[in-house]
């Protein structure tokens, strides 16, 4: 039995509602409709197969002035792993000084993704 | 900067993204003393608390967080030798451009040749939208909650309802969910989402957060602390419909109900404001009705992308530099009038003799429309939404030179095709 999966494209303000028809057994995408351009098709396929996002958060510091340091992942991570990753982020403590772009936590959850500072901590 | 160092060519009020971009552009024109005055202790303004990504996609062609975007500009400001006055609050600006400010050295007055207003905007609060009910603790604007969570390190509560679907509200829905809070719903009075589609998908849909369109918070419960809210459906006049009330338990209500340009100083200086944008009436040079006072960014019109804030403020910076060098500007003879389904147009006045980029917002979302700028530009758009600003380049050679001699007004309209 084929199933229907809906995604909304975020490439432009159109926000096309795209419907994928997927074979439930083989997980193969049989049809994509509702997209008004080519990028929409690629987006829908990626969103179905492996939706990824950059995770942004904060970590604790030893600075009284700036108790938090903003961080992000250095590459997009699977959407479904974001909540789990926050438990790792919550345990990170950094000591000043930290430079913008510096890795503050390596290889999170063994996923080959690093957490990097997005602000200087002096 | 010392008190003696008063020979300022251009004084920029506010060091957010607008002020930084304006200062850099002005300095690049070879003006010797460009000074930024800022009430905070650091440069960068609100960008420091906007730790999410999505900044700089257009300006730098790169997906950055707010602090990363700010730091690019802060580094340029420092490299160029722009003067910086931090922890200094401007108290008054007079129409003859005397600027009084206050800091730890006391009250002082500066007399710059040109001023650029880049004070940004302010959030609308519970009071400005008149939400009924008790007045307990636990009601925050989205920006305040964002500062608590991202900068100060405090969580505002445990169970949250968000009123308004502006971008900051949706971004806070995601942020609070990731920090372990229970975001119960985003409530929007209009029949459509207020913010960008990207935020609707990545902040709400990704985390299965409900969005209730055509609903509002009609009562806030709780004596000391918020204990819940009543959510009601609204009719076409946005009035709550009796009998549709539903009580939701929560300890925090976050408001994301719009932004208003911050123009108290502009008004003191005699700058004329546009009642729709809430910002100064400007010409294509981003000069206000007061010669030598310019404005750029969210103080002029509330933008949805910081990239446009930077670009618009560069226009103000470039022209303030020309003004400080004694150059003359062409007179603003033509008014741009918002017509059908157009809420506002910036700049409000143009000379018609130079290339200009016009910014505008529509009133209602519409598909398959044609935007007409007088008789000189017709542009088909697949979709227009109030949340996405429209931007068109008018060239003097191709468009404006075709205007009839003596044209005083150009009406801009957005109509469905065939009508």
């Amino acid at each position: 039995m084929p199933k229907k999966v809906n995604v909304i494209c975020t490439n432009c303000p159109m926000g096309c509602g795209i419907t994928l028809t997927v074979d439930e057994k083989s997980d193969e995408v049989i049809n994509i409709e509702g997209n008004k351009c080519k990028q929409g098709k690629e987006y829908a396929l990626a969103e179905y197969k492996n939706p990824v996002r950059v995770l942004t958060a904060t970590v604790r510091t030893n600075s009284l002035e700036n108790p938090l340091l903003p961080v992000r992942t250095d590459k997009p991570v699977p959407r479904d792993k974001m909540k789990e990753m926050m438990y790792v982020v919550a345990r990170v403590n950094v000591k000043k000084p930290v430079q913008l772009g510096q890795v503050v936590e390596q290889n999170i959850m063994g996923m080959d993704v690093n957490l990097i500072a997005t602000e200087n901590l002096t | 900067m010392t008190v003696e160092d008063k020979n300022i060519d251009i004084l920029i009020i506010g060091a957010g993204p607008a002020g930084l971009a304006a200062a850099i552009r002005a300095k690049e024109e070879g003006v010797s003393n460009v000074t930024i005055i800022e009430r905070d202790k650091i440069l960068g303004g609100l960008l420091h608390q906007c730790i999410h990504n999505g900044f700089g996609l257009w300006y730098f062609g790169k997906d950055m967080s707010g602090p990363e975007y700010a730091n690019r500009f802060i580094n340029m400001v420092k490299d160029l030798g722009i003067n910086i006055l931090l922890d200094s609050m401007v108290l008054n600006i007079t129409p003859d451009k005397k600027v009084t400010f206050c800091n730890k050295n006391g009250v002082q007055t500066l007399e710059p040749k040109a001023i650029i207003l880049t004070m940004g905007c302010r959030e609308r609060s519970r009071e400005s939208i008149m939400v009924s009910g008790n007045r307990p603790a636990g009601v925050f604007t989205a920006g305040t909650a964002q500062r608590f969570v991202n900068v100060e390190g405090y969580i505002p509560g445990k169970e949250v309802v968000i009123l308004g679907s502006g971008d900051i509200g949706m971004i806070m829905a995601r942020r609070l969910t990731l920090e372990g809070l229970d975001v119960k719903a985003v409530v929007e009075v209009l029949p459509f989402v207020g913010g960008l589609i990207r935020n609707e998908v990545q902040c709400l849909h990704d985390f299965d957060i409900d969005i209730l369109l055509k609903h509002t918070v009609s009562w806030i419960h709780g004596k000391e602390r918020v204990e819940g809210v009543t959510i009601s459906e609204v009719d076409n006049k946005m009035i709550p419909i009796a009998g549709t009330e539903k009580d939701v338990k929560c300890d925090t209500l976050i408001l994301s109900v719009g932004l208003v340009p911050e123009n108290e100083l502009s008004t003191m200086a005699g700058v004329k404001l546009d009642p729709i944008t809430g910002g100064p009436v400007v010409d294509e040079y981003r000069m206000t009705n007061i010669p030598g006072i310019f404005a750029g960014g969210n103080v002029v019109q509330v933008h949805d992308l910081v990239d446009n804030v930077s670009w618009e403020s560069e226009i103000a910076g470039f022209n303030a530099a020309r003004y400080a060098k004694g150059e003359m500007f062409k007179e603003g003879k033509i008014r741009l009038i918002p017509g059908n389904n157009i809420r506002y147009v910036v700049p409000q006045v143009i000379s018609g003799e130079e290339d200009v980029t016009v910014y505008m917002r529509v009133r209602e979302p519409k598909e398959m429309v044609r935007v007409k700028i007088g008789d000189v530009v017709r542009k088909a758009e697949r979709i227009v939404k109030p949340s996405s600003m429209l931007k068109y380049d008018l060239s003097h050679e191709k468009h404006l030179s075709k205007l009839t001699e003596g044209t005083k007004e150009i009406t801009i309209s957005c109509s469905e095709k065939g009508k």
Side-chain angles (χ1 to χ4, degrees):
Chain A
M1 264 296 282
K3 64 170 177 181
K4 303 265 184 197
V5 180
N6 296 316
V7 299
I8 297 174
C9 180
T10 60
N11 277 321
C12 82
M14 283 290 286
C16 292
I18 306 176
T19 306
L20 297 100
T21 312
V22 186
D23 186 280
E24 266 191 286
K25 252 190 190 162
S26 64
D27 204 28
E28 196 185 321
V29 177
I30 305 162
N31 189 32
I32 297 175
E33 58 185 10
N35 58 302
K36 295 191 175 85
C37 75
K38 218 177 104 192
Q39 279 120 300
K41 200 169 177 173
E42 285 161 23
Y43 174 86
L45 208 57
E47 273 294 282
Y48 175 68
K49 293 249 151 118
N50 182 27
V52 292
R53 308 277 187 264
V54 170
L55 176 67
T56 61
T58 53
V59 295
R60 289 194 180 92
T61 77
N62 67 341
S63 158
L64 289 174
E65 246 173 90
N66 304 100
L68 298 176
L69 177 71
V71 294
R72 66 172 169 88
T73 54
D74 59 358
K75 60 177 95 151
V77 299
R79 188 179 62 190
D80 303 337
K81 295 279 181 205
M82 290 167 82
K83 280 191 178 174
E84 213 181 323
M85 279 189 165
M86 287 299 289
Y87 289 95
V88 180
V89 176
R91 283 193 292 270
V92 176
N93 273 285
V94 296
K95 286 197 180 77
K96 56 185 184 182
V98 180
Q99 289 287 310
L100 191 154
Q102 191 179 320
V103 174
V104 299
E105 182 80 5
Q106 279 183 327
N107 196 14
I108 310 164
M109 290 158 58
M111 287 169 56
D112 193 27
V113 171
N114 302 320
L115 213 53
I116 59 168
T118 61
E119 177 80 282
N120 296 306
L121 180 70
T122 47
Chain B
M1 197 174 79
T2 57
V3 190
E4 296 82 54
D5 194 7
K6 279 189 181 171
N7 261 332
I8 295 174
D9 294 305
I10 302 175
L11 184 68
I12 292 152
I13 322 280
L20 297 176
I24 292 163
R25 192 69 191 88
K27 189 73 184 176
E28 282 172 351
E29 281 308 297
V31 175
S32 59
N33 187 324
V34 177
T35 299
I36 308 178
I37 185 163
E38 164 62 44
R39 63 186 170 193
D40 202 349
K41 291 184 171 67
I42 49 169
L43 300 173
L46 197 88
L47 284 169
H48 289 287
Q49 69 182 61
C50 300
I51 63 159
H52 54 277
N53 59 320
F55 296 88
L57 283 165
W58 299 99
Y59 194 94
F60 291 113
K62 218 181 140 197
D63 189 8
M64 307 162 102
S65 72
E68 288 172 299
Y69 189 89
N71 272 289
R72 289 264 184 132
F73 285 89
I74 292 168
N75 291 341
M76 281 191 263
V77 162
K78 289 183 175 163
D79 290 347
L80 286 168
I82 291 163
N83 295 321
I84 302 161
L85 265 171
L86 291 172
D87 221 352
S88 304
M89 176 94 177
V90 175
L91 304 173
N92 189 35
I93 305 175
T94 63
D96 55 353
K97 301 199 288 287
K98 287 192 178 66
V99 179
T100 307
F101 73 97
C102 163
N103 63 14
K104 62 179 186 228
N105 300 324
V107 177
Q108 298 168 66
T109 301
L110 302 170
E111 291 181 47
K113 286 184 197 150
I115 295 171
I116 308 178
L117 305 168
T118 52
M119 294 86 75
C121 60
R122 190 179 283 159
E123 292 180 281
R124 294 214 297 160
S125 64
R126 174 181 178 179
E127 284 68 29
S128 36
I129 57 162
M130 295 189 287
V131 185
S132 308
N134 300 340
R135 303 178 62 84
V139 182
F140 303 93
T141 60
T144 304
Q146 189 180 44
R147 183 167 174 94
F148 277 136
V149 178
N150 293 348
V151 179
E152 316 258 343
Y154 296 101
I155 290 293
K158 292 191 174 95
E159 295 173 304
V160 185
V161 168
I162 299 178
L163 174 59
S165 58
D167 287 310
I168 321 168
M170 294 199 283
I171 284 160
M172 283 315 289
R174 169 177 63 187
R175 180 82 182 107
L176 295 174
T177 304
L178 285 169
E179 287 293 346
L181 281 73
D182 180 10
V183 178
K184 302 219 158 164
V186 172
V187 183
E188 170 59 57
V189 73
L190 293 171
F192 49 86
V193 170
L196 301 171
I197 185 80
R198 173 175 87 197
N199 289 328
E200 186 187 343
V201 171
Q202 298 184 358
C203 301
L204 304 185
H205 300 181
D206 274 10
F207 299 97
D208 294 320
I209 297 167
D210 285 337
I211 168 134
L212 298 168
L213 298 175
K214 291 188 81 175
H215 280 73
T216 192
V217 169
S218 51
W219 197 266
I220 299 173
H221 305 273
K223 205 172 168 203
E224 302 290 325
R225 175 79 197 193
V226 173
E227 286 164 16
V229 294
T230 301
I231 296 174
S232 304
E233 208 179 316
V234 297
D235 63 18
N236 290 335
K237 285 178 183 149
M238 290 191 236
I239 308 292
I241 303 170
T244 62
E245 298 89 353
K246 240 167 69 184
D247 288 348
V248 176
K249 197 174 144 277
C250 64
D251 59 14
T252 305
L253 176 68
I254 289 178
L255 303 173
S256 178
V257 290
L259 303 162
V260 189
E262 192 173 320
N263 276 295
E264 283 77 6
L265 290 172
S266 323
T267 310
M268 288 177 192
V271 167
K272 205 178 132 206
L273 302 185
D274 177 332
I276 306 293
T277 57
V281 172
V282 290
D283 60 20
E284 69 236 70
Y285 310 106
R286 289 299 180 281
M287 189 157 82
T288 66
N289 61 310
I290 307 288
I293 300 188
F294 297 77
N298 284 350
V299 83
V300 174
Q301 52 175 336
V302 176
H303 291 256
D304 38 77
L305 299 173
V306 73
D307 310 60
N308 282 328
V309 168
S310 301
W311 275 317
E312 180 175 56
S313 306
E314 285 171 358
I315 301 172
F318 172 66
N319 290 301
R322 289 175 58 201
Y323 182 91
K325 287 192 266 185
E327 283 182 42
M328 296 296 283
F329 294 150
K330 294 187 174 115
E331 192 199 339
K333 295 182 292 283
I334 305 170
R335 289 174 57 215
L336 299 180
I337 312 283
N340 187 36
N341 198 26
I342 300 288
R343 199 159 71 86
Y344 74 76
V345 183
V346 168
Q348 288 85 348
V349 188
I350 60 170
S351 68
E353 295 172 50
E354 308 219 32
D355 295 350
V356 58
T357 302
V358 291
Y359 296 81
M360 64 196 74
R361 274 187 201 278
V362 296
R363 289 180 185 278
E364 287 172 31
K366 286 264 172 358
E367 283 186 37
M368 306 313 273
V369 294
R370 186 168 282 127
V371 175
K372 279 167 71 178
I373 303 178
D375 297 323
V376 290
V377 172
R378 289 160 148 265
K379 187 97 173 59
E381 296 285 350
R382 274 179 169 180
I383 194 162
V384 290
K385 288 183 181 179
S387 57
S388 292
M389 187 183 272
L390 296 168
K391 217 171 123 181
Y392 300 103
D393 292 326
L394 297 184
S395 100
H396 176 248
E397 197 194 323
K398 263 170 72 186
H399 308 118
L400 296 170
S401 59
K402 305 226 164 85
L403 288 169
T404 331
E405 185 89 7
T407 299
K408 286 207 172 67
E409 284 184 3
I410 300 177
T411 301
I412 302 181
S413 65
C414 166
S415 311
E416 278 156 87
K417 278 187 191 165
K419 283 187 188 168

